[in-house]
Amino acid sequence: MAPATRERILAAAVRVLQQRGAAHLTTREVARVAGCAEGSIFKNFRDKAGLLGAVLCEGLPELEALRRSAAEAPIRPVREALVALARAAIDFYAASLPITAVLLTDPTLVARHREAIRAGAPGPQQAHLEVAEYLRAEQERGRLSPAADPRATALLLCGAAQHRALLELVAGPSVLPDDRDAAATAIADTVLSGLAR
């Protein structure tokens, strides 16, 4: 399959999820929206779990924005980098939680997704790994305390971002006392208070 067709399938899956919800995310509906044969999905993604995994790891512009933020983080002041990472993480989780919910409703899909991750496919852990790697690198540069555990700190930042996104999805953003920018700043400042040299 040409890369353009694969990209169309991924974009169609994201569009179906965003516009119609998880109940309508079928390979038949994705194929219809993508303008391709349903067999093309199975040929290139194996099954629905493979498609969902690819959407999580390749099809979300929010993941690319998070990766870009992690790549640019070393050239920024630490606080600014952490705020940008927290904001990008909130955006990523807001986009990815509905997809993750689809996976979690079907034990077969979860098992297939885990199998793919064990085989080396990227997964939702990528956000945590990229933030942890950035923090580890900052420790090596001497800009963060060597006493802090980068993986645990990444879990704190990503966990807070994910919870913020979940609250928005369930309760609605208007119920929360601050917007995403203010939340990202508060998350970064709280995390940074335990990391400063």
XYZ file of all heavy atoms in Angstrom, residues 45-58 92 96 99-104 106-126:
320
model
N -2.457 -3.364 8.751
C -2.504 -3.189 10.200
C -2.853 -4.485 10.934
O -2.953 -4.493 12.134
C -3.507 -2.088 10.575
C -3.144 -0.749 10.015
C -3.767 -0.270 8.872
C -2.172 0.033 10.615
C -3.436 0.972 8.343
C -1.835 1.274 10.089
C -2.467 1.743 8.957
N -3.089 -5.525 10.193
C -3.413 -6.876 10.681
C -4.828 -6.978 11.248
O -5.570 -7.875 10.907
C -2.384 -7.355 11.692
C -2.569 -8.800 12.078
C -1.429 -9.287 12.910
N -1.722 -10.610 13.425
C -1.014 -11.209 14.321
N 0.056 -10.618 14.820
N -1.343 -12.398 14.749
N -5.167 -6.071 12.162
C -6.488 -6.109 12.770
C -6.795 -4.749 13.395
O -6.012 -3.806 13.272
C -6.592 -7.235 13.810
C -5.526 -7.144 14.897
O -4.930 -6.055 15.070
O -5.290 -8.156 15.576
N -7.924 -4.686 14.087
C -8.339 -3.423 14.694
C -7.328 -2.964 15.745
O -7.045 -1.770 15.867
C -9.728 -3.585 15.316
C -10.337 -2.305 15.821
C -11.760 -2.574 16.281
C -12.417 -1.349 16.858
N -13.804 -1.628 17.264
N -6.766 -3.898 16.517
C -5.761 -3.532 17.520
C -4.543 -2.898 16.851
O -3.995 -1.910 17.349
C -5.346 -4.751 18.338
N -4.119 -3.458 15.731
C -2.987 -2.890 15.005
C -3.288 -1.500 14.495
O -2.427 -0.604 14.532
N -4.503 -1.307 14.010
C -4.912 0.014 13.538
C -4.931 1.010 14.692
O -4.388 2.110 14.583
C -6.289 -0.053 12.868
C -6.904 1.276 12.436
C -6.020 1.984 11.419
C -8.304 1.058 11.876
N -5.523 0.614 15.817
C -5.585 1.518 16.969
C -4.186 1.850 17.487
O -3.897 2.989 17.842
C -6.437 0.907 18.085
C -7.932 0.875 17.809
C -8.646 0.049 18.865
C -8.505 2.272 17.757
N -3.324 0.842 17.532
C -1.950 1.088 17.960
C -1.248 2.062 17.041
O -0.522 2.959 17.494
N -1.451 1.900 15.745
C -0.832 2.820 14.781
C -1.395 4.229 14.929
O -0.656 5.212 14.823
C -1.032 2.307 13.358
N -2.696 4.337 15.190
C -3.285 5.654 15.402
C -2.643 6.311 16.620
O -2.258 7.482 16.582
C -4.821 5.565 15.568
C -5.399 6.879 16.065
C -5.480 5.172 14.257
N -2.494 5.547 17.704
C -1.891 6.091 18.920
C -0.460 6.556 18.693
O -0.026 7.559 19.255
C -1.886 5.034 20.029
C -3.135 4.904 20.879
C -3.023 3.703 21.801
C -3.396 6.162 21.678
N 0.300 5.808 17.905
C 1.738 6.059 17.782
C 2.142 6.824 16.535
O 3.278 7.297 16.455
C 2.480 4.730 17.821
S 2.151 3.831 19.327
N 1.254 6.922 15.555
C 1.613 7.581 14.306
C 0.583 8.591 13.825
O 0.939 9.532 13.128
C 1.754 6.536 13.180
C 2.757 5.454 13.424
C 2.634 4.368 12.375
O 2.497 4.697 11.182
O 2.661 3.183 12.762
N -1.806 15.604 24.143
C -1.676 14.232 23.665
C -2.666 13.313 24.373
O -3.360 12.522 23.737
C -0.252 13.717 23.863
C -0.128 12.225 23.691
C -0.325 11.633 22.454
C 0.157 11.416 24.772
C -0.234 10.256 22.299
C 0.260 10.040 24.632
C 0.061 9.465 23.386
N -5.571 11.022 22.924
C -5.355 9.574 22.927
C -6.261 8.798 23.871
O -6.480 7.606 23.661
C -3.895 9.251 23.249
O -3.566 9.627 24.567
N -9.059 6.804 22.276
C -8.546 5.641 21.549
C -8.171 4.540 22.531
O -8.495 3.365 22.330
C -7.336 6.040 20.682
C -7.748 7.122 19.684
C -6.747 4.831 19.966
C -6.594 7.851 19.053
N -7.509 4.922 23.606
C -7.146 3.958 24.635
C -8.395 3.309 25.216
O -8.403 2.107 25.502
C -6.327 4.655 25.744
O -5.210 5.306 25.147
C -5.836 3.666 26.772
N -9.451 4.089 25.372
C -10.707 3.547 25.905
C -11.249 2.445 25.004
O -11.765 1.436 25.498
C -11.730 4.669 26.068
N -11.134 2.630 23.697
C -11.584 1.591 22.761
C -10.795 0.314 22.990
O -11.355 -0.779 23.065
C -11.443 2.058 21.293
C -11.749 0.927 20.328
C -12.348 3.245 21.023
N -9.488 0.439 23.109
C -8.649 -0.735 23.355
C -9.046 -1.439 24.646
O -9.140 -2.662 24.700
C -7.174 -0.330 23.447
C -6.409 -0.166 22.152
C -5.054 0.471 22.415
C -6.223 -1.506 21.462
N -9.266 -0.659 25.688
C -9.519 -1.238 27.004
C -10.872 -1.930 27.126
O -11.073 -2.710 28.053
C -9.384 -0.157 28.088
C -7.979 0.413 28.259
C -7.981 1.544 29.275
C -6.992 -0.671 28.657
N -12.005 -4.147 25.118
C -11.949 -5.477 24.511
C -10.654 -6.184 24.922
O -9.565 -5.799 24.478
C -12.018 -5.328 22.990
C -12.087 -6.654 22.255
O -11.645 -7.688 22.810
O -12.561 -6.656 21.113
N -10.743 -7.215 25.766
C -9.533 -7.916 26.215
C -8.682 -8.456 25.056
O -7.454 -8.491 25.155
C -10.065 -9.061 27.072
C -11.421 -8.621 27.506
C -11.948 -7.755 26.394
N -9.306 -8.832 23.963
C -8.559 -9.323 22.809
C -7.733 -8.203 22.203
O -6.562 -8.397 21.838
C -9.508 -9.923 21.758
O -10.272 -10.960 22.371
C -8.752 -10.474 20.569
N -8.317 -7.014 22.098
C -7.581 -5.865 21.562
C -6.418 -5.489 22.484
O -5.318 -5.180 22.007
C -8.506 -4.661 21.383
C -9.554 -4.748 20.271
C -10.418 -3.497 20.275
C -8.910 -4.951 18.918
N -6.647 -5.531 23.791
C -5.583 -5.217 24.741
C -4.435 -6.213 24.586
O -3.257 -5.829 24.518
C -6.105 -5.214 26.193
C -4.956 -5.111 27.192
C -7.086 -4.082 26.410
N -4.773 -7.500 24.501
C -3.738 -8.538 24.368
C -2.941 -8.350 23.080
O -1.711 -8.452 23.084
C -4.371 -9.923 24.410
N -3.605 -8.055 21.987
C -2.918 -7.852 20.710
C -2.034 -6.604 20.759
O -0.931 -6.603 20.230
C -3.932 -7.728 19.567
C -4.735 -8.972 19.328
C -4.097 -9.954 18.377
N -3.787 -9.295 17.143
C -2.551 -9.194 16.638
N -1.552 -9.752 17.242
N -2.347 -8.558 15.515
N -2.529 -5.566 21.402
C -1.745 -4.334 21.511
C -0.498 -4.574 22.367
O 0.598 -4.139 22.011
C -2.610 -3.215 22.085
C -1.961 -1.877 22.046
N -1.607 -1.245 20.878
C -1.577 -1.049 23.039
C -1.051 -0.082 21.149
N -1.014 0.057 22.463
N -0.653 -5.261 23.462
C 0.500 -5.576 24.318
C 1.507 -6.450 23.575
O 2.720 -6.257 23.715
C 0.038 -6.286 25.583
C -0.652 -5.377 26.559
C -1.107 -6.124 27.783
N -1.793 -5.236 28.698
C -2.546 -5.659 29.696
N -2.699 -6.951 29.920
N -3.135 -4.792 30.490
N 1.002 -7.366 22.796
C 1.884 -8.232 22.000
C 2.715 -7.390 21.021
O 3.916 -7.597 20.874
C 1.034 -9.253 21.238
C 1.785 -10.174 20.320
C 0.812 -11.053 19.521
O -0.096 -11.644 20.132
O 0.977 -11.111 18.295
N 2.069 -6.446 20.399
C 2.782 -5.574 19.453
C 3.838 -4.739 20.171
O 4.956 -4.567 19.667
C 1.788 -4.672 18.719
N 3.515 -4.240 21.356
C 4.482 -3.444 22.120
C 5.666 -4.316 22.536
O 6.819 -3.901 22.420
C 3.802 -2.780 23.338
C 2.858 -1.678 22.860
C 4.843 -2.226 24.313
C 1.998 -1.081 23.942
N 5.390 -5.538 22.988
C 6.485 -6.452 23.353
C 7.373 -6.766 22.159
O 8.569 -6.990 22.311
C 5.924 -7.748 23.951
C 5.561 -7.639 25.403
C 5.304 -9.006 26.020
N 4.234 -9.744 25.369
C 2.944 -9.642 25.669
N 2.560 -8.832 26.625
N 2.042 -10.346 25.020
N 6.788 -6.733 20.970
C 7.552 -7.011 19.748
C 8.320 -5.779 19.259
O 8.992 -5.838 18.245
C 6.622 -7.530 18.653
N 8.191 -4.678 19.982
C 8.967 -3.497 19.628
C 8.190 -2.332 19.057
O 8.773 -1.294 18.748
N 6.885 -2.485 18.893
C 6.088 -1.371 18.367
C 5.996 -0.269 19.419
O 5.963 -0.548 20.612
C 4.682 -1.851 17.999
N 5.979 0.989 18.993
C 5.796 2.058 19.971
C 4.387 1.979 20.559
O 3.483 1.414 19.948
C 5.996 3.334 19.151
C 5.840 2.931 17.739
C 6.110 1.468 17.639
N 4.222 2.526 21.719
C 2.910 2.504 22.362
C 2.700 3.767 23.177
O 3.495 4.712 23.099
N 1.652 3.779 23.985
C 1.341 4.985 24.760
C 2.413 5.323 25.795
O 2.445 6.421 26.322
C 0.008 4.648 25.429
C -0.101 3.168 25.380
C 0.676 2.717 24.190
N 3.309 4.387 26.051
C 4.413 4.648 26.982
C 5.438 5.615 26.396
O 6.313 6.099 27.107
C 5.087 3.334 27.401
C 5.973 2.702 26.348
C 5.239 1.899 25.282
O 4.012 1.889 25.241
N 5.982 1.234 24.423
N 5.333 5.907 25.105
C 6.312 6.772 24.451
C 6.402 8.146 25.112
O 7.487 8.695 25.254
C 5.987 6.941 22.969
C 6.169 5.696 22.150
C 7.536 5.058 22.302
O 7.658 3.944 22.762
N 8.560 5.778 21.931
